[in-house]
Amino acid sequence: MGSANSKTKAASRRARIEEQRRAERARERRNRIITIAVSAAILVGVAGGGWYLVDTANEKEQAKAAPVSGEKTWSKLTQNHVDKDVTYPMTPPAGGDHDPVWQNCNGDVYTSELRDENAVHSMEHGAVWVTYNDKAADADVKTLSAKVAKTPYTLMSPYKTQSSPISLTAWGHQLNVTKESDPRVAEFLEKYVQGAQTPEPGAACTGGKSS
C-alpha cells in the first residue's frame, strides 16, 4: 500500500514539475514575442524618424532653392571690371560688368545715391542692395535703415528712378515691394545675403568706396 502511495506521489510530483516547465516555456515564448515586437516597433520608429528627418531636410533645401514670390531673376551676367559707366538692362542693376572698387556694404546706410558700378561690385561679393524712391514712406525707410545697419553684407541708398517704392537687389535677383512690412523683405534678405547666388562668397564688404 505504501509503495502504491509513493508511486502516486512521485507521479503527481512529476506532473507538477512538467506543468511548471510547460508554463515556463510558454512564458519564455511570450517574452520572446514581446521582445521581437518591441524591437520591430523601435526599428520602424527609427526608420520612420529617419525618413521624417530626410523629408524635413529635403523640404528645407527645396525652400532654399525656390525663388521668393514675385522676384525677377537674370542669369549669365558678365563680371568684368571696367573703368567706365555701364548701361544695365534693369533698374536698379542686378549684376553685370562693374567698377574694380566695391561699395562698402557692411550694413552701410547711405543718404545719397550711389554709383551703380560700385554697388554691383558689392553684390558680386554677396551683398543685398536695398533702395527706395520718393514714394516710400518715411517710417519704412527708417525701419529698413535700422535693419540694414545691423546686417552685414547689406547696403542701402536712395534710387530716384526705380519704379517701385522699395527694391531689394542681389546678384541676379530683384524684389519690388511697396512696404517694409511685406514679409518677403525678410525672406529675401535671409535667402540672398551671402546666398548661393553669390559669385564671390566671402569677399570683403569693407575697404572699398565709403561714399
Side-chain angles (χ1 to χ4, degrees), residues 45-76:
V46 169
W51 282 114
Y52 171 77
L53 292 173
V54 170
D55 287 345
T56 301
N58 286 339
E59 287 174 4
K60 288 182 178 178
E61 288 303 314
Q62 289 171 2
K64 287 181 181 179
V68 176
S69 177
E71 73 169 51
K72 300 175 183 178
T73 61
W74 296 267
S75 60
K76 298 181 180 179

Side-chain angles (χ1 to χ4, degrees), residues 3-209:
S3 176
N5 285 338
S6 296
K7 289 180 179 179
T8 300
K9 288 179 181 179
S12 177
R13 222 173 16 252
R14 285 195 298 272
R16 285 198 302 273
I17 291 171
E18 183 58 31
E19 179 62 28
Q20 289 171 354
R21 286 175 178 170
R22 283 197 297 270
E24 181 64 26
R25 286 194 295 270
R27 279 196 298 273
E28 289 176 354
R29 282 195 299 274
R30 284 196 301 273
N31 288 340
R32 283 197 298 272
I33 292 169
I34 291 170
T35 300
I36 291 170
V38 170
S39 299
I42 291 172
L43 288 172
V44 169
V46 169
W51 282 114
Y52 171 77
L53 292 173
V54 170
D55 287 345
T56 301
N58 286 339
E59 287 174 4
K60 288 182 178 178
E61 288 303 314
Q62 289 171 2
K64 287 181 181 179
V68 176
S69 177
E71 73 169 51
K72 300 175 183 178
T73 61
W74 296 267
S75 60
K76 298 181 180 179
L77 297 168
T78 56
Q79 294 175 240
N80 302 308
H81 288 179
V82 295
D83 292 311
K84 62 180 181 179
D85 293 343
V86 178
T87 300
Y88 294 100
M90 73 292 283
T91 304
D97 293 348
H98 49 269
D99 195 273
V101 180
W102 59 88
Q103 192 74 38
N104 284 344
C105 47
N106 191 32
D108 292 85
V109 177
Y110 300 92
T111 56
S112 299
E113 291 196 350
L114 303 176
R115 188 165 177 266
D116 286 347
E117 290 78 8
N118 300 105
V120 170
H121 194 156
S122 301
M123 291 187 288
E124 185 184 43
H125 290 190
V128 169
W129 185 17
V130 180
T131 54
Y132 59 95
N133 63 17
D134 295 339
K135 297 176 184 177
D138 290 343
D140 285 345
V141 173
K142 184 177 180 180
T143 302
L144 278 171
S145 297
K147 185 176 293 186
V148 167
K150 62 182 180 182
T151 307
Y153 284 93
T154 63
L155 67 163
M156 180 173 172
S157 67
Y159 205 106
K160 292 181 181 179
T161 59
Q162 68 183 38
S163 60
S164 178
I166 298 168
S167 294
L168 291 90
T169 310
W171 188 272
H173 301 267
Q174 188 171 90
L175 176 70
N176 295 322
V177 298
T178 57
K179 296 181 179 295
E180 178 279 332
S181 58
D182 190 314
R184 294 176 298 165
V185 170
E187 185 182 353
F188 193 93
L189 290 169
E190 174 68 23
K191 186 178 182 65
Y192 293 120
V193 169
Q194 279 284 284
Q197 86 291 341
T198 304
E200 297 180 2
C205 243
T206 57
K209 189 179 178 183

